[in-house]
Amino acid sequence: MERTGLITDSFPRRHRRPGRTETKAGPAARRGERGKGRGRQAGTAIVPPPRPPPVPAQEAAQEPPPPPRVPPDLLDMLRSFDLAWEYGPCTGITRLQRWERAQALGLSPPFPVRDALLEHCDDPAVTYSLWHEYGL
């Protein structure tokens, strides 16, 4: 089997200029800038950044109160509202927007759903429909 060539044969050859010699010290030594490069100088220590002050135990123990629990029967009512297709699609909008759209179209959505949505407007489990986290 005959060897045709090396993969490096496809690259152009670079010739060094006469008078320049390559040393193991690298390009910084050729410029006369030993120790000014990316590396650190001998004898210098790496100083870690200062740590933030510790948080007192009283402040760490004060967590925000958990959101109010939504009753399971309320979530069942909202789930049945999501599954009722007579009020239109519910993807891409909140439950309250869907309720208002159904009301504007004369579809007579249930008023207890609206009352619950207005009462728990800051809870995402109540505000958004079942398919909120799924892409369209």
Side-chain angles (χ1 to χ4, degrees), residues 43-85:
T44 60
I46 298 176
V47 179
R51 292 186 180 182
V55 178
Q58 293 173 349
E59 291 180 16
Q62 294 178 354
E63 296 179 2
R69 297 280 306 175
V70 181
D73 57 339
L74 175 66
L75 290 176
D76 290 338
M77 179 181 64
L78 295 173
R79 198 172 298 121
S80 65
F81 177 68
D82 289 342
L83 295 173
W85 286 102

Tab-separated table of all heavy atoms in Angstrom, residues 43-85:
chain	number	residue	atom	x	y	z
A	43	GLY	N	5.386	34.840	43.209
A	43	GLY	CA	5.347	35.395	44.547
A	43	GLY	C	4.071	36.158	44.864
A	43	GLY	O	3.914	36.652	45.965
A	44	THR	N	3.177	36.302	43.922
A	44	THR	CA	1.920	36.987	44.214
A	44	THR	C	0.870	35.952	44.556
A	44	THR	O	0.825	34.876	43.994
A	44	THR	CB	1.443	37.819	43.013
A	44	THR	OG1	1.256	36.947	41.904
A	44	THR	CG2	2.442	38.895	42.670
A	45	ALA	N	0.028	36.308	45.494
A	45	ALA	CA	-1.018	35.387	45.925
A	45	ALA	C	-2.362	35.841	45.361
A	45	ALA	O	-2.587	37.029	45.136
A	45	ALA	CB	-1.085	35.350	47.450
A	46	ILE	N	-3.210	34.885	45.134
A	46	ILE	CA	-4.562	35.187	44.665
A	46	ILE	C	-5.411	35.506	45.887
A	46	ILE	O	-5.538	34.710	46.811
A	46	ILE	CB	-5.155	34.004	43.891
A	46	ILE	CG1	-4.314	33.723	42.651
A	46	ILE	CG2	-6.586	34.279	43.527
A	46	ILE	CD1	-4.769	32.513	41.886
A	47	VAL	N	-6.008	36.691	45.893
A	47	VAL	CA	-6.833	37.122	47.012
A	47	VAL	C	-8.295	36.892	46.637
A	47	VAL	O	-8.757	37.420	45.620
A	47	VAL	CB	-6.591	38.617	47.325
A	47	VAL	CG1	-7.462	39.081	48.467
A	47	VAL	CG2	-5.129	38.852	47.613
A	48	PRO	N	-9.040	36.117	47.423
A	48	PRO	CA	-10.448	35.892	47.090
A	48	PRO	C	-11.262	37.161	47.330
A	48	PRO	O	-10.881	38.008	48.140
A	48	PRO	CB	-10.863	34.771	48.049
A	48	PRO	CG	-9.924	34.875	49.191
A	48	PRO	CD	-8.643	35.380	48.616
A	49	PRO	N	-12.375	37.311	46.621
A	49	PRO	CA	-13.207	38.500	46.834
A	49	PRO	C	-13.816	38.483	48.234
A	49	PRO	O	-13.998	37.413	48.824
A	49	PRO	CB	-14.291	38.378	45.762
A	49	PRO	CG	-14.315	36.935	45.410
A	49	PRO	CD	-12.925	36.429	45.618
A	50	PRO	N	-14.131	39.636	48.777
A	50	PRO	CA	-14.689	39.663	50.137
A	50	PRO	C	-16.071	39.016	50.168
A	50	PRO	O	-16.849	39.132	49.229
A	50	PRO	CB	-14.768	41.157	50.459
A	50	PRO	CG	-14.784	41.838	49.139
A	50	PRO	CD	-14.004	40.973	48.208
A	51	ARG	N	-16.356	38.346	51.266
A	51	ARG	CA	-17.649	37.694	51.423
A	51	ARG	C	-18.682	38.709	51.890
A	51	ARG	O	-18.363	39.643	52.618
A	51	ARG	CB	-17.555	36.573	52.445
A	51	ARG	CG	-16.723	35.428	51.978
A	51	ARG	CD	-16.790	34.310	52.974
A	51	ARG	NE	-15.997	33.192	52.524
A	51	ARG	CZ	-15.896	32.064	53.163
A	51	ARG	NH1	-16.517	31.894	54.304
A	51	ARG	NH2	-15.165	31.088	52.683
A	52	PRO	N	-19.950	38.508	51.486
A	52	PRO	CA	-20.984	39.418	51.990
A	52	PRO	C	-21.202	39.169	53.475
A	52	PRO	O	-20.950	38.073	53.975
A	52	PRO	CB	-22.221	39.031	51.172
A	52	PRO	CG	-21.955	37.660	50.687
A	52	PRO	CD	-20.469	37.539	50.549
A	53	PRO	N	-21.665	40.181	54.183
A	53	PRO	CA	-21.864	39.995	55.626
A	53	PRO	C	-22.946	38.946	55.882
A	53	PRO	O	-23.888	38.819	55.101
A	53	PRO	CB	-22.301	41.378	56.112
A	53	PRO	CG	-22.802	42.078	54.901
A	53	PRO	CD	-22.036	41.511	53.745
A	54	PRO	N	-22.811	38.193	56.950
A	54	PRO	CA	-23.812	37.155	57.231
A	54	PRO	C	-25.155	37.775	57.581
A	54	PRO	O	-25.238	38.838	58.195
A	54	PRO	CB	-23.221	36.393	58.420
A	54	PRO	CG	-22.269	37.351	59.052
A	54	PRO	CD	-21.751	38.217	57.956
A	55	VAL	N	-26.213	37.092	57.185
A	55	VAL	CA	-27.567	37.545	57.455
A	55	VAL	C	-27.940	37.104	58.863
A	55	VAL	O	-27.750	35.933	59.211
A	55	VAL	CB	-28.543	36.949	56.418
A	55	VAL	CG1	-29.965	37.381	56.712
A	55	VAL	CG2	-28.131	37.350	55.025
A	56	PRO	N	-28.450	37.999	59.684
A	56	PRO	CA	-28.853	37.588	61.026
A	56	PRO	C	-29.930	36.511	60.969
A	56	PRO	O	-30.718	36.441	60.026
A	56	PRO	CB	-29.401	38.879	61.652
A	56	PRO	CG	-28.803	39.987	60.865
A	56	PRO	CD	-28.580	39.439	59.493
A	57	ALA	N	-29.954	35.674	61.990
A	57	ALA	CA	-30.882	34.546	62.016
A	57	ALA	C	-32.327	35.008	62.036
A	57	ALA	O	-33.211	34.331	61.502
A	57	ALA	CB	-30.592	33.663	63.230
A	58	GLN	N	-32.607	36.160	62.618
A	58	GLN	CA	-33.989	36.631	62.681
A	58	GLN	C	-34.498	37.007	61.299
A	58	GLN	O	-35.631	36.718	60.943
A	58	GLN	CB	-34.078	37.841	63.603
A	58	GLN	CG	-33.791	37.515	65.056
A	58	GLN	CD	-33.719	38.783	65.902
A	58	GLN	OE1	-33.680	39.886	65.369
A	58	GLN	NE2	-33.683	38.596	67.217
A	59	GLU	N	-33.654	37.659	60.482
A	59	GLU	CA	-34.075	38.042	59.142
A	59	GLU	C	-34.213	36.818	58.244
A	59	GLU	O	-35.066	36.780	57.368
A	59	GLU	CB	-33.093	39.028	58.529
A	59	GLU	CG	-33.100	40.384	59.188
A	59	GLU	CD	-32.108	41.325	58.539
A	59	GLU	OE1	-31.655	41.034	57.421
A	59	GLU	OE2	-31.783	42.338	59.153
A	60	ALA	N	-33.347	35.835	58.416
A	60	ALA	CA	-33.419	34.634	57.591
A	60	ALA	C	-34.666	33.822	57.922
A	60	ALA	O	-35.232	33.149	57.063
A	60	ALA	CB	-32.176	33.779	57.796
A	61	ALA	N	-35.105	33.876	59.175
A	61	ALA	CA	-36.270	33.094	59.579
A	61	ALA	C	-37.567	33.738	59.119
A	61	ALA	O	-38.591	33.070	59.041
A	61	ALA	CB	-36.276	32.924	61.096
A	62	GLN	N	-37.563	35.025	58.798
A	62	GLN	CA	-38.782	35.702	58.379
A	62	GLN	C	-39.003	35.511	56.883
A	62	GLN	O	-38.566	36.292	56.062
A	62	GLN	CB	-38.704	37.188	58.706
A	62	GLN	CG	-38.681	37.492	60.181
A	62	GLN	CD	-38.547	38.990	60.435
A	62	GLN	OE1	-38.358	39.765	59.518
A	62	GLN	NE2	-38.644	39.365	61.691
A	63	GLU	N	-39.674	34.470	56.539
A	63	GLU	CA	-40.015	34.199	55.148
A	63	GLU	C	-41.376	34.805	54.860
A	63	GLU	O	-42.199	34.965	55.762
A	63	GLU	CB	-40.041	32.694	54.890
A	63	GLU	CG	-38.700	32.034	55.063
A	63	GLU	CD	-38.782	30.545	54.819
A	63	GLU	OE1	-39.862	30.060	54.482
A	63	GLU	OE2	-37.761	29.881	54.985
A	64	PRO	N	-41.641	35.145	53.606
A	64	PRO	CA	-42.960	35.684	53.302
A	64	PRO	C	-44.026	34.611	53.564
A	64	PRO	O	-43.774	33.416	53.398
A	64	PRO	CB	-42.878	36.046	51.825
A	64	PRO	CG	-41.736	35.266	51.295
A	64	PRO	CD	-40.791	35.066	52.441
A	65	PRO	N	-45.191	35.027	53.975
A	65	PRO	CA	-46.226	34.035	54.257
A	65	PRO	C	-46.631	33.309	52.984
A	65	PRO	O	-46.615	33.884	51.888
A	65	PRO	CB	-47.385	34.873	54.810
A	65	PRO	CG	-47.140	36.251	54.291
A	65	PRO	CD	-45.652	36.378	54.167
A	66	PRO	N	-46.958	32.035	53.068
A	66	PRO	CA	-47.359	31.300	51.871
A	66	PRO	C	-48.674	31.861	51.326
A	66	PRO	O	-49.472	32.438	52.072
A	66	PRO	CB	-47.532	29.864	52.372
A	66	PRO	CG	-47.776	29.986	53.835
A	66	PRO	CD	-47.038	31.210	54.267
A	67	PRO	N	-48.880	31.734	50.017
A	67	PRO	CA	-50.131	32.236	49.452
A	67	PRO	C	-51.314	31.473	50.048
A	67	PRO	O	-51.185	30.314	50.449
A	67	PRO	CB	-49.993	31.964	47.951
A	67	PRO	CG	-48.944	30.928	47.841
A	67	PRO	CD	-48.044	31.103	49.014
A	68	PRO	N	-52.454	32.120	50.134
A	68	PRO	CA	-53.603	31.436	50.718
A	68	PRO	C	-53.985	30.216	49.899
A	68	PRO	O	-53.943	30.228	48.662
A	68	PRO	CB	-54.709	32.496	50.696
A	68	PRO	CG	-54.259	33.523	49.723
A	68	PRO	CD	-52.773	33.461	49.694
A	69	ARG	N	-54.336	29.163	50.602
A	69	ARG	CA	-54.704	27.923	49.941
A	69	ARG	C	-56.059	28.091	49.257
A	69	ARG	O	-56.987	28.647	49.825
A	69	ARG	CB	-54.788	26.786	50.952
A	69	ARG	CG	-53.477	26.457	51.634
A	69	ARG	CD	-52.579	25.617	50.824
A	69	ARG	NE	-53.285	24.408	50.390
A	69	ARG	CZ	-52.789	23.526	49.586
A	69	ARG	NH1	-51.598	23.676	49.125
A	69	ARG	NH2	-53.472	22.479	49.230
A	70	VAL	N	-56.140	27.600	48.033
A	70	VAL	CA	-57.393	27.650	47.294
A	70	VAL	C	-58.162	26.370	47.611
A	70	VAL	O	-57.597	25.277	47.540
A	70	VAL	CB	-57.110	27.765	45.780
A	70	VAL	CG1	-58.398	27.832	45.005
A	70	VAL	CG2	-56.252	28.977	45.501
A	71	PRO	N	-59.420	26.494	47.970
A	71	PRO	CA	-60.191	25.287	48.279
A	71	PRO	C	-60.286	24.359	47.070
A	71	PRO	O	-60.404	24.822	45.928
A	71	PRO	CB	-61.576	25.828	48.664
A	71	PRO	CG	-61.403	27.282	48.879
A	71	PRO	CD	-60.180	27.706	48.157
A	72	PRO	N	-60.233	23.059	47.306
A	72	PRO	CA	-60.296	22.113	46.183
A	72	PRO	C	-61.596	22.197	45.397
A	72	PRO	O	-61.598	21.983	44.182
A	72	PRO	CB	-60.144	20.741	46.837
A	72	PRO	CG	-59.638	20.994	48.216
A	72	PRO	CD	-59.986	22.387	48.570
A	73	ASP	N	-62.708	22.517	46.059
A	73	ASP	CA	-63.972	22.603	45.323
A	73	ASP	C	-63.968	23.792	44.364
A	73	ASP	O	-64.570	23.739	43.282
A	73	ASP	CB	-65.155	22.672	46.282
A	73	ASP	CG	-65.048	23.839	47.261
A	73	ASP	OD1	-63.921	24.329	47.473
A	73	ASP	OD2	-66.095	24.249	47.799
A	74	LEU	N	-63.268	24.871	44.722
A	74	LEU	CA	-63.125	26.005	43.818
A	74	LEU	C	-62.300	25.621	42.596
A	74	LEU	O	-62.655	25.958	41.461
A	74	LEU	CB	-62.481	27.187	44.541
A	74	LEU	CG	-62.153	28.405	43.680
A	74	LEU	CD1	-63.426	29.045	43.160
A	74	LEU	CD2	-61.324	29.388	44.447
A	75	LEU	N	-61.213	24.884	42.817
A	75	LEU	CA	-60.394	24.430	41.680
A	75	LEU	C	-61.169	23.475	40.784
A	75	LEU	O	-61.010	23.500	39.553
A	75	LEU	CB	-59.110	23.779	42.181
A	75	LEU	CG	-58.092	24.736	42.818
A	75	LEU	CD1	-56.908	23.955	43.360
A	75	LEU	CD2	-57.639	25.770	41.824
A	76	ASP	N	-62.036	22.635	41.370
A	76	ASP	CA	-62.875	21.743	40.559
A	76	ASP	C	-63.854	22.547	39.710
A	76	ASP	O	-64.094	22.217	38.542
A	76	ASP	CB	-63.626	20.764	41.451
A	76	ASP	CG	-62.715	19.723	42.076
A	76	ASP	OD1	-61.610	19.494	41.524
A	76	ASP	OD2	-63.098	19.144	43.115
A	77	MET	N	-64.429	23.602	40.275
A	77	MET	CA	-65.351	24.445	39.515
A	77	MET	C	-64.622	25.125	38.361
A	77	MET	O	-65.124	25.166	37.233
A	77	MET	CB	-65.977	25.494	40.438
A	77	MET	CG	-66.929	26.432	39.723
A	77	MET	SD	-67.646	27.679	40.788
A	77	MET	CE	-66.228	28.623	41.278
A	78	LEU	N	-63.415	25.629	38.616
A	78	LEU	CA	-62.650	26.277	37.552
A	78	LEU	C	-62.195	25.283	36.493
A	78	LEU	O	-62.152	25.599	35.300
A	78	LEU	CB	-61.447	27.012	38.153
A	78	LEU	CG	-61.785	28.189	39.062
A	78	LEU	CD1	-60.528	28.715	39.725
A	78	LEU	CD2	-62.481	29.284	38.291
A	79	ARG	N	-61.856	24.080	36.921
A	79	ARG	CA	-61.471	23.035	35.973
A	79	ARG	C	-62.642	22.676	35.064
A	79	ARG	O	-62.479	22.490	33.856
A	79	ARG	CB	-60.979	21.810	36.752
A	79	ARG	CG	-60.179	20.855	35.919
A	79	ARG	CD	-59.552	19.751	36.770
A	79	ARG	NE	-58.613	20.308	37.744
A	79	ARG	CZ	-58.713	20.163	39.064
A	79	ARG	NH1	-59.694	19.481	39.595
A	79	ARG	NH2	-57.814	20.701	39.867
A	80	SER	N	-63.838	22.584	35.630
A	80	SER	CA	-65.007	22.279	34.799
A	80	SER	C	-65.305	23.442	33.852
A	80	SER	O	-65.765	23.235	32.725
A	80	SER	CB	-66.215	21.964	35.669
A	80	SER	OG	-66.595	23.104	36.410
A	81	PHE	N	-65.022	24.694	34.281
A	81	PHE	CA	-65.165	25.835	33.381
A	81	PHE	C	-64.164	25.744	32.229
A	81	PHE	O	-64.499	26.058	31.079
A	81	PHE	CB	-64.971	27.134	34.165
A	81	PHE	CG	-65.036	28.379	33.324
A	81	PHE	CD1	-66.219	28.786	32.734
A	81	PHE	CD2	-63.913	29.161	33.126
A	81	PHE	CE1	-66.285	29.931	31.972
A	81	PHE	CE2	-63.962	30.310	32.372
A	81	PHE	CZ	-65.154	30.703	31.791
A	82	ASP	N	-62.944	25.291	32.526
A	82	ASP	CA	-61.946	25.117	31.453
A	82	ASP	C	-62.370	24.048	30.466
A	82	ASP	O	-62.115	24.158	29.266
A	82	ASP	CB	-60.587	24.735	32.051
A	82	ASP	CG	-59.932	25.891	32.776
A	82	ASP	OD1	-60.333	27.041	32.540
A	82	ASP	OD2	-59.015	25.635	33.571
A	83	LEU	N	-62.995	22.996	30.953
A	83	LEU	CA	-63.357	21.877	30.087
A	83	LEU	C	-64.657	22.105	29.327
A	83	LEU	O	-64.973	21.333	28.424
A	83	LEU	CB	-63.458	20.594	30.924
A	83	LEU	CG	-62.138	20.138	31.553
A	83	LEU	CD1	-62.381	18.962	32.484
A	83	LEU	CD2	-61.130	19.785	30.485
A	84	ALA	N	-65.408	23.137	29.674
A	84	ALA	CA	-66.672	23.431	28.990
A	84	ALA	C	-66.379	24.223	27.718
A	84	ALA	O	-66.067	25.413	27.774
A	84	ALA	CB	-67.591	24.210	29.917
A	85	TRP	N	-66.500	23.564	26.570
A	85	TRP	CA	-66.148	24.201	25.309
A	85	TRP	C	-67.220	25.158	24.809
A	85	TRP	O	-67.002	25.869	23.841
A	85	TRP	CB	-65.849	23.139	24.248
A	85	TRP	CG	-64.527	22.516	24.507
A	85	TRP	CD1	-64.298	21.306	25.079
A	85	TRP	CD2	-63.254	23.100	24.271
A	85	TRP	NE1	-62.952	21.085	25.197
A	85	TRP	CE2	-62.287	22.172	24.703
A	85	TRP	CE3	-62.830	24.303	23.731
A	85	TRP	CZ2	-60.921	22.434	24.606
A	85	TRP	CZ3	-61.481	24.558	23.642
A	85	TRP	CH2	-60.535	23.619	24.084
